[in-house]
């Protein structure tokens, strides 16, 4: 195999805005693109105060990838395609992550769409019903996957049966069934 090549890490910079936002960045001129990743504290851990609604952060993030007040999901996707950009929202254990990729020349237009996605989600009932059903189907499917079963058992052994950390971030059939569209709207506002 030969001698392992030394890993070359790019130089990075840090900054902090007046509003407290912390930035870590790097620059390369290889291709004319910009990639942004925003990490917002919270995610699954935010639902610890209301464990009977576990899975709400995943459902909220999924809904934020759907219709906005001014665009259907299809129109929004079409606008991003025209710009050669992408925007996605996801939820993890400790954070909600927003991922943006854009051609450098189209960054301003992409950021306008990002603002639309983040500030003006529509939270339509039909999208909610469809995504909730998908999340419940995903949870049911996990019960057939050895790795998912092992992870769930491990979490229960590690944290204890009644500890919130033992609940998967996607929730359980019972907890996701308890979530209403109003719950999602309230979670988003909080």
């Amino acid at each position: 195999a030969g001698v392992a090549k030394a890993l070359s890490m790019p130089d990075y910079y840090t900054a902090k805005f007046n509003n407290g936002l912390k930035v870590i960045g790097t620059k390369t001129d290889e291709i004319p693109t910009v990639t942004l990743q925003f990490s917002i504290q919270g995610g699954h851990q935010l639902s610890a105060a209301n464990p009977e609604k576990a899975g709400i952060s995943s459902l909220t993030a999924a809904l934020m990838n759907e219709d906005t007040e001014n665009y259907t999901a299809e129109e929004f996707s079409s606008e991003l395609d025209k710009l050669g950009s992408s925007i996605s929202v996801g939820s993890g254990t400790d954070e909600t992550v927003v991922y943006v990729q854009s051609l450098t020349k189209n960054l301003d237009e992409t950021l306008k769409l990002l603002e639309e996605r983040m500030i003006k989600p529509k939270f339509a009932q039909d999208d909610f019903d469809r995504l909730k059903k998908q999340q419940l189907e995903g949870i049911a499917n996990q019960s057939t996957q050895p790795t998912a079963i092992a992870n769930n058992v491990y979490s229960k052994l590690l944290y204890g049966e009644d500890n919130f950390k033992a609940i998967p971030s996607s929730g359980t059939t019972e907890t996701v069934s308890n979530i209403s569209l109003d719950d999602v709207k309230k979670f988003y506002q909080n």
Side-chain angles (χ1 to χ4, degrees):
V3 178
K5 293 183 180 181
L7 181 62
S8 175
M9 295 296 290
D11 292 332
Y12 67 93
Y13 61 88
T14 61
K16 187 173 182 179
F17 290 106
N18 291 337
N19 65 2
L21 181 69
K22 297 175 190 172
V23 177
I24 302 172
T26 187
K27 182 176 180 178
T28 178
D29 294 323
E30 290 180 34
I31 55 175
T33 62
V34 175
T35 302
L36 305 170
Q37 179 178 318
F38 302 93
S39 298
I40 304 164
Q41 288 183 342
H44 180 56
Q45 292 298 333
L46 281 180
S47 54
N50 197 358
E52 63 273 3
K53 308 271 185 186
I56 195 167
S57 64
S58 296
L59 194 51
T60 303
L63 272 167
M64 290 184 72
N65 288 308
E66 296 294 325
D67 296 351
T68 68
E69 290 178 12
N70 297 309
Y71 296 94
T72 66
E74 293 80 15
E75 291 168 340
F76 196 90
S77 180
S78 177
E79 290 298 313
L80 286 172
D81 288 345
K82 289 177 196 175
L83 296 170
S85 301
S86 64
I87 299 173
S88 64
V89 180
S91 178
T93 302
D94 299 322
E95 61 192 5
T96 295
V97 178
V98 181
Y99 185 77
V100 179
Q101 191 162 23
S102 173
L103 295 171
T104 304
K105 66 181 183 179
N106 295 335
L107 182 60
D108 289 341
E109 293 88 355
T110 302
L111 291 177
K112 288 177 187 172
L113 290 171
L114 174 64
E115 182 178 13
E116 175 80 18
R117 171 133 297 156
M118 298 303 295
I119 306 299
K120 300 176 183 175
K122 188 172 185 180
F123 294 132
Q125 185 68 50
D126 58 335
D127 290 334
F128 171 77
D129 294 339
R130 177 177 45 80
L131 292 171
K132 181 176 176 178
K133 181 180 178 193
Q134 286 177 355
Q135 190 161 330
L136 288 168
E137 288 170 353
I139 292 166
N141 186 43
Q142 287 178 356
S143 67
T144 66
Q145 304 298 317
T147 303
I149 295 167
N151 286 338
N152 291 341
V153 169
Y154 177 74
S155 291
K156 287 179 182 178
L157 290 172
L158 184 63
Y159 299 113
E161 192 76 32
D162 295 328
N163 190 312
F164 179 77
K165 291 182 181 181
I167 300 173
S169 61
S170 60
T172 65
T173 300
E174 296 77 24
T175 63
V176 173
S177 296
N178 290 333
I179 300 171
S180 70
L181 182 56
D182 286 338
D183 293 329
V184 167
K185 291 176 181 178
K186 184 178 178 186
F187 184 83
Y188 166 81
Q189 288 299 322
N190 290 339

